[in-house]
Amino acid sequence: MLVLSELKTLTPSQRNAFIASFLGWTLDAFDFFLMSFTLGAIAKDFSVEVTEVAFAITLTLACRPLGAFIFGRLADRFGRRPVLMVDILLFAILEIGSAFAPNLTIFLILRALFGIAMGGEWGIGASLTFESIPERARGAVSGILQEGYACGFLLASVVNWLLFEIIGWRGMFIVGVVPALLVIYIRMFVEESPVWKKGEHVKTKLSFMAAMRGHWKLAAYVIVLMTAFNFFSHGTQDLYPQFLRVTHHFDNGTVSLLTIVGNVGAIVGGVMFGAWSERLGRRKAIIFAALLALPVLPLWAFAQTPILLGLGAFLMQISVQGAWGIIPTHLNELSPDAVRGTFPGLMYQLGNLFAAVNATFQVWLATKYDENYAIPLALVTGVVAIVIVVLAAVGVEKKGVVFGSTENA
C-alpha cells in the first residue's frame, strides 16, 4: 500500500520518467538473460563446449563498465533523455545482430559490444528517475525500478517457455529487438531531468576527474560493495536454468516455470525492501535482506523436488533482489551531482567487471563435481551474503540528501 500511495503522488512527467527507466532496464535484462536459457543450444550449434559459450556472459559483464563511463559522461554533458534513447537503440541492434553470428568468435565480439551498450542503460535511467521524483518516493521507486531486472528475467523465462522449441536460440535473439520500440515512448512522453537542466551550464565545464575530487575513497568503497552485489545476483541467476537442466534433468517447461517463480520472488523482495528502506535506512534494509539468504540456502540449492526447489527459488530471490532493490536510490544519493549520470552506473558496472568471472568459475567448478551446479551456486551465494552484510554495516548512506544542493556537490 505504501508503494502504491507513493506512486500516486507522482506527476505525469515524473511517472513517465520512471516508466521509461523501468522498461529500459526490464528490456535490457530481458536481452541479457536470453543467454542463460540458450547456452547449451548455442554450444551445440557452434560445436563447442558450454564453458566456451559461457565466456560470452563474462565478456558482457566485463564490458559494461566501459559503457557506463561512455554513456554516463555523454548523459552528464548532453542530458539523460537523448543519450538513453541512443543507448537503448544500440543494445537492441546488437542483440538482433547476435542472432546472425556465423561462429563463436563473431558471437563473442557482438556480446562484448552488447555489454558496452547494456552498461550505459542502468545509470542513465536511474539518474533520470531519481532526479525527477520527490525525495519521499525514492525508496519505493527504487525497489520497483531495480526489479525491472527481475521482470526482464521473468520475460525471458516466458519467451523461452513459449517459443524456444519453435524458433530456436537465434529466433530468441531476434525477439530481443523489441526494446527499440521503447525509444518511441521516450521521444513522445519523457522530459529531461530537472536537476540536470538546472545545472547543465556548470556541469558541462567539469571533467570527471575534477568532479570526483574528494570522492575517491567513497568510490572505492562503492566498487567493492557492488562487486559483492553482482556476485550475489549473477551467482544466483545466470546459471540457475543450467542448474535445473543439467543437475536435475528437468525439461524446458519446468526450467522456465521455476525460473518464473524465482523472479516473482525477486519482484516481491525488491518492492518490499525498497519501501522498507525509507523507514529502516538503506544500510539496515540491505543487511536484513542479505541475511535472509543464509537460512534459505540449503532449500534453494539442495532440495530435490520441483515444489521445494520452487519455494527455495522464491525465497532466495526475495533476499537477493530485496537487497538490490535499495541500490538504485542508495547509489544516486551517494553520487556527487556533477557526475550522477556517470557515478552510479560506473560504480555498479565496475563491480560487474570484478564479478564477471562468476559464470565461468561456476561452470568450471560444476565440472569438478560431475555437473552438480548446486555446489558452486551455494558456495558463491553463502560467502557473498556474509560479505554484503559486513560491507553494509561499515559503510555510509545519504538517505534524504537533496539533489543539486551543496551537500551533494
Side-chain angles (χ1 to χ4, degrees):
M1 293 301 292
L2 174 64
V3 174
L4 291 176
S5 64
E6 291 295 352
L7 291 182
K8 287 179 181 178
T9 65
L10 300 182
T11 66
S13 175
Q14 293 167 346
R15 196 174 296 118
N16 286 334
F18 162 65
I19 290 171
S21 300
F22 173 82
L23 290 177
W25 191 223
T26 295
L27 295 171
D28 203 349
F30 166 69
D31 281 1
F32 172 77
F33 277 113
L34 289 178
M35 275 291 304
S36 297
F37 292 100
T38 56
L39 287 173
I42 296 170
K44 182 177 180 180
D45 195 14
F46 290 149
S47 300
V48 297
E49 296 297 323
V50 171
T51 50
E52 296 178 73
V53 179
F55 184 60
I57 296 176
T58 300
L59 273 178
T60 297
L61 298 179
C63 289
R64 279 163 64 169
L66 180 58
F69 184 78
I70 292 172
F71 289 103
R73 292 310 292 151
L74 289 172
D76 282 330
R77 180 171 292 272
F78 300 109
R80 319 312 191 196
R81 179 175 170 270
V83 178
L84 182 61
M85 288 191 289
V86 170
D87 184 64
I88 290 172
L89 273 177
L90 184 58
F91 77 68
I93 291 170
L94 288 166
E95 182 77 359
I96 194 172
S98 301
F100 297 97
N103 53 55
L104 181 62
T105 300
I106 299 299
F107 183 79
L108 292 177
I109 292 171
L110 288 167
R111 298 317 291 172
L113 293 173
F114 173 82
I116 294 175
M118 185 179 186
E121 197 284 333
W122 186 90
I124 304 171
S127 62
L128 174 63
T129 297
F130 291 107
E131 289 178 344
S132 300
I133 65 172
E135 182 274 330
R136 67 179 182 278
R138 288 179 192 166
V141 167
S142 179
I144 301 173
L145 180 63
Q146 183 59 31
E147 292 328 302
Y149 192 74
C151 288
F153 198 174
L154 190 152
L155 185 59
S157 305
V158 172
V159 170
N160 176 70
W161 190 7
L162 298 177
L163 298 179
F164 178 75
E165 302 293 343
I166 301 171
I167 63 178
W169 76 265
R170 293 184 186 273
M172 295 269 283
F173 279 88
I174 290 174
V175 173
V177 77
V178 169
L181 299 175
L182 179 58
V183 173
I184 300 173
Y185 178 85
I186 297 173
R187 178 71 178 83
M188 294 179 63
F189 299 109
V190 177
E191 297 179 13
E192 184 54 81
S193 154
V195 174
W196 183 85
K197 287 194 293 185
K198 178 182 176 182
E200 63 178 306
H201 300 298
V202 175
K203 288 186 281 189
T204 53
K205 296 178 182 179
L206 286 176
S207 69
F208 180 73
M209 298 299 289
M212 284 297 296
R213 189 173 294 121
H215 300 292
W216 291 109
K217 184 177 179 181
L218 171 65
Y221 165 75
V222 175
I223 290 170
V224 174
L225 179 67
M226 296 316 299
T227 299
F229 261 89
N230 279 294
F231 268 110
F232 203 28
S233 59
H234 292 290
T236 58
Q237 291 177 327
D238 293 2
L239 294 176
Y240 186 70
Q242 190 76 355
F243 159 67
L244 297 174
R245 188 174 287 118
V246 174
T247 302
H248 290 283
H249 308 290
F250 292 148
D251 60 29
N252 190 60
T254 304
V255 170
S256 297
L257 183 59
L258 290 176
T259 306
I260 289 170
V261 169
N263 280 290
V264 172
I267 295 167
V268 171
V271 173
M272 183 170 62
F273 279 97
W276 282 350
S277 75
E278 284 299 320
R279 298 178 179 178
L280 299 175
R282 312 307 184 203
R283 292 185 300 142
K284 285 183 180 178
I286 288 171
I287 289 169
F288 290 160
L291 283 174
L292 178 61
L294 299 179
V296 172
L297 195 59
L299 178 65
W300 174 70
F302 299 108
Q304 296 300 313
T305 67
I307 292 177
L308 289 178
L309 284 166
L311 178 60
F314 182 81
L315 294 174
M316 178 57 73
Q317 290 308 318
I318 284 180
S319 167
V320 174
Q321 293 303 318
W324 263 104
I326 302 150
I327 288 299
T329 187
H330 188 38
L331 295 196
N332 273 270
E333 288 168 342
L334 292 177
S335 174
D337 283 318
V339 287
R340 188 166 293 107
T342 307
F343 182 91
L346 181 60
M347 299 304 107
Y348 175 177
Q349 303 302 353
L350 283 172
N352 250 325
L353 173 63
F354 294 118
V357 298
N358 175 75
T360 305
F361 168 72
Q362 287 185 315
V363 170
W364 172 80
L365 189 58
T367 62
K368 302 299 180 182
Y369 289 93
D370 296 325
E371 301 298 315
N372 184 359
Y373 281 82
I375 294 173
L377 265 63
L379 176 65
V380 169
T381 304
V383 170
V384 172
I386 296 171
V387 171
I388 288 173
V389 169
V390 174
L391 289 172
V394 302
V396 295
E397 69 176 79
K398 287 188 178 181
K399 179 179 173 295
V401 69
V402 178
F403 295 159
S405 67
T406 55
E407 181 184 359
N408 221 44

